[in-house]
């Protein structure tokens, strides 16, 4: 039986020293709460009064949400549940959809580097290990205008056992024998990665070419047979061939060979596309 000693609380003082106050600080504020309904909802409601790069982490969420309002929860301290507020002065609103994909790149790189697991991305922003979901990402626009503000929520399964997983297709770092399952270490790597990715994007004047290249390199959906479920209870089968410059998944439909760029929908991996 797991105890609280097996799942220690996050060390907020050490996290602040590393990420907010230290010489390599890249975040303006970091808070850890024992419990809340949704870290995304909390940051959105306060976004006008918060600085760029504010991070909120919860040890437990009562009303966590994934894409399409799906519930996302787990035992206290068994996950990393964080939301970050990012303000993007001068960004073209048309490219805001790249921010959750950017976060996905940062999470994958952190898990590969720190936890030594073979993490990949499933379009648009699920993180997989050996085909099973270990993390999900949800972005919501908090403010429009000249300086858009976006809240990006990340839920990562760290120490969940098989019987604690929400669905059979999920997994956790512990179940995948990760080299590191210390939440403080992984959180530092993820937040530093997001900060560096946003810096790089801003320095390119919000150009998405390099970001798109980096996303494609980590995306396991490209080259797979997929089922795409669209709004309105429509679906089709096809081959995922690319991610376009707007972050959409490009699929060659089985029905008529038509090339379809999907901006919103659920994608299920079926198998790898056979070439030759």
């Amino acid at each position: 039986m797991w105890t609280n000693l097996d799942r220690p609380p996050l060390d907020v003082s050490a996290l602040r020293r590393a990420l907010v106050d230290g010489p390599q600080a890249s975040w303006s504020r970091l808070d850890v709460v024992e419990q809340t309904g949704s870290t995304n909802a909390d940051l959105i409601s306060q976004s006008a009064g918060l600085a760029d790069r504010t991070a909120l982490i919860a040890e437990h969420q009562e009303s966590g949400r994934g894409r399409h309002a799906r519930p996302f929860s787990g035992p206290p301290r068994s996950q990393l549940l964080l939301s970050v507020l990012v303000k993007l002065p001068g960004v073209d609103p048309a490219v805001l959809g790249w921010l959750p994909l950017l976060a996905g790149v940062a999470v994958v790189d952190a898990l590969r580097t720190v936890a030594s697991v073979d993490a990949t991305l499933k379009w648009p922003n699920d993180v997989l290990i050996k085909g099973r979901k270990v993390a999900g990402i949800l972005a919501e626009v908090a403010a429009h205008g000249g300086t858009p503000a976006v809240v990006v929520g990340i839920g990562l399964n760290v120490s969940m056992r098989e019987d604690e997983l929400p669905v059979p297709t999920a997994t956790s770092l512990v179940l995948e024998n990760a080299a590191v399952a210390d939440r403080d270490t992984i959180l530092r790597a993820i937040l530093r990665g997001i900060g560096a990715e946003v810096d790089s994007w801003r320095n390119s004047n919000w150009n998405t070419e390099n970001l798109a290249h980096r996303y494609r390199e980590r995306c396991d959906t490209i080259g797979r047979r997929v089922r795409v479920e669209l709004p309105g209870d429509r679906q089709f089968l096809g081959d995922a061939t690319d991610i376009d410059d707007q972050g959409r998944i490009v699929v060659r439909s089985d029905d008529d060979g038509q090339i379809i760029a999907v901006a919103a929908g659920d994608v299920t991996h079926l198998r790898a596309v056979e070439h030759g």
Side-chain angles (χ1 to χ4, degrees), residues 223-240:
R224 286 192 175 273
R225 292 277 300 153
V226 296
R227 179 174 65 249
V228 181
E229 298 176 38
L230 301 170
D233 294 326
R234 296 174 296 142
Q235 68 175 28
F236 68 94
L237 302 177
D239 299 337

Side-chain angles (χ1 to χ4, degrees), residues 105 108-109 112 119-121 210-220 222 243:
V105 170
V108 162
D109 286 1
R112 288 180 177 182
T120 59
L121 287 163
N210 183 56
L211 177 55
H213 175 71
R214 290 165 56 71
Y215 185 89
R216 290 186 188 103
E217 286 184 330
R218 293 155 180 77
C219 183
D220 190 44
I222 298 172
I243 305 293

Side-chain angles (χ1 to χ4, degrees), residues 121-134:
L121 287 163
K122 172 179 172 286
W123 185 88
N125 42 29
D126 284 346
V127 180
L128 308 182
I129 301 175
K130 300 175 185 174
R132 301 176 75 187
K133 181 175 175 178
V134 72

Side-chain angles (χ1 to χ4, degrees), residues 49 81 137 154 189 238 262 270:
L81 303 166
I137 298 168
I154 299 168
V262 178
L270 301 177

Side-chain angles (χ1 to χ4, degrees), residues 1-2 7 16 44 46 66 73 82 95 112 125 145-146 156 180 184 203 217 237 247 276:
M1 186 75 172
W2 286 85
R7 291 170 170 165
R16 284 176 176 156
I44 290 171
Q46 304 170 44
S73 63
L82 66 141
V95 301
R112 288 180 177 182
N125 42 29
L156 169 66
V180 171
D184 290 77
N203 291 342
E217 286 184 330
L237 302 177

